[in-house]
Amino acid sequence: MLNLLKHPLITHKLALMRKKETRIKDFRELLQEISGLMVYEITRDLPIKKVTVETPLGKCDTEELDTKIVLVPILRAGLGMVDGISKLLPGARIGHIGIYRDHKTLEPMTYFSKLPDNLNDSVVMILDPMLATGGSSTKAIQLLKDRGAGIIKLVCIIGAPEGISRIEKDHPDVQIYLAGMDKKLNDIGYIVPGLGDAGDRLFGTT
Ligand code: PRP
Ligand code: URA
């Protein structure tokens, strides 16, 4: 299911990120900030349990989170979302999946995977700013399912209709979170208007 996070501050910061004049430092900061702002919504349905704590004035019946969390950035650009999210979820374990798109075929190629054990007892959040054809994300989701993950959330910044449809078709159980949804892909698989190549803008490569 798609969750489009329409919030003035998120949209404002995303507009700044999209601008072609925005350079590495600001681009990096904005990506972390938007990712952090998205945490409020992506954690909305996390399980909680009843607990009693002692305040300076007495007992308080309250609640705390009742799940482990694993963050899985897709290399490279997903790395740019980790700090913003893990600041708010400091106990989260972090796995990494390396996937790049073949420039000609747009097929996702997996080149690295290092994941925590026991994914089945955690909520797993995949991080990748761009959901274009959906090839990279669907491959990462399948890899995580094969490793035992049950509850998976896909957290992206900008999505194209093609990528959203692909995930909804391949993995209808996965919640998708986006800060922006754009019109289409161009003929080389880039999101239009999008923000260009997220990895290159984040790391200063071409
Ligand atoms: C980008 C982006 C996604 C993928 C999205 O990575 O960060 O992982 O493309 O495209 P898709 O939905 O069509 O699969 P890229 O392949 O450029 O790798 P990089 O981050 O290492 O540059
Ligand atoms: N990957 C990117 O970095 N940008 C796009 O627009 C599509 C895929």
Side-chain angles (χ1 to χ4, degrees):
M1 198 182 85
L2 174 64
N3 302 270
L4 184 58
L5 308 190
K6 282 222 158 268
H7 184 285
L9 196 50
I10 291 178
T11 309
H12 171 77
K13 287 180 183 289
L14 181 53
L16 296 177
M17 255 187 99
R18 287 177 185 274
K19 283 188 184 181
K20 63 179 181 204
E21 300 82 11
T22 299
R23 299 281 165 230
I24 291 186
K25 178 176 180 290
D26 290 336
F27 190 89
R28 282 185 188 150
E29 287 175 4
L30 289 162
L31 180 55
Q32 299 290 4
E33 286 170 7
I34 293 170
S35 304
L37 288 168
M38 291 174 77
V39 170
Y40 187 79
E41 282 301 328
I42 63 184
T43 55
R44 182 177 281 284
D45 60 354
L46 291 187
I48 45 176
K49 65 181 175 198
K50 292 195 187 311
V51 291
T52 303
V53 299
E54 288 277 345
T55 80
L57 299 180
K59 278 191 192 329
C60 172
D61 294 328
T62 179
E63 289 159 336
E64 64 183 27
L65 285 181
D66 190 23
T67 184
K68 294 178 190 162
I69 294 169
V70 174
L71 306 179
V72 182
I74 300 183
L75 311 181
R76 293 176 299 161
L79 289 174
M81 301 172 69
V82 173
D83 289 354
I85 295 181
S86 62
K87 246 186 216 159
L88 293 158
L89 298 170
R93 294 177 296 161
I94 301 177
H96 295 85
I97 296 179
I99 298 179
Y100 72 92
R101 295 194 309 177
D102 180 276
H103 279 296
K104 285 207 181 88
T105 63
L106 299 184
E107 275 305 302
M109 314 297 286
T110 307
Y111 60 89
F112 184 76
S113 161
K114 181 79 182 170
L115 298 165
D117 291 333
N118 303 325
L119 294 178
N120 56 323
D121 66 3
S122 299
V123 173
V124 178
M125 300 179 180
I126 299 175
L127 316 180
D128 191 336
M130 308 308 275
L131 178 61
T133 65
S136 305
S137 293
T138 201
K139 193 148 193 184
I141 293 168
Q142 193 55 55
L143 195 155
L144 289 163
K145 285 183 174 174
D146 293 344
R147 286 286 304 268
I151 304 172
I152 300 176
K153 293 168 178 276
L154 175 62
V155 186
C156 301
I157 304 295
I158 300 180
E162 293 88 335
I164 295 163
S165 303
R166 172 91 190 262
I167 302 301
E168 287 177 337
K169 178 173 150 288
D170 292 356
H171 302 287
D173 54 310
V174 170
Q175 298 262 0
I176 307 167
Y177 297 87
L178 293 178
M181 190 167 90
D182 281 6
K183 286 197 188 74
K184 58 174 186 175
L185 297 179
N186 67 12
D187 54 11
I188 52 167
Y190 278 82
I191 300 175
V192 182
L195 50 71
D197 191 302
D200 284 351
R201 293 192 67 183
L202 193 59
F203 295 111
T205 50
T206 48

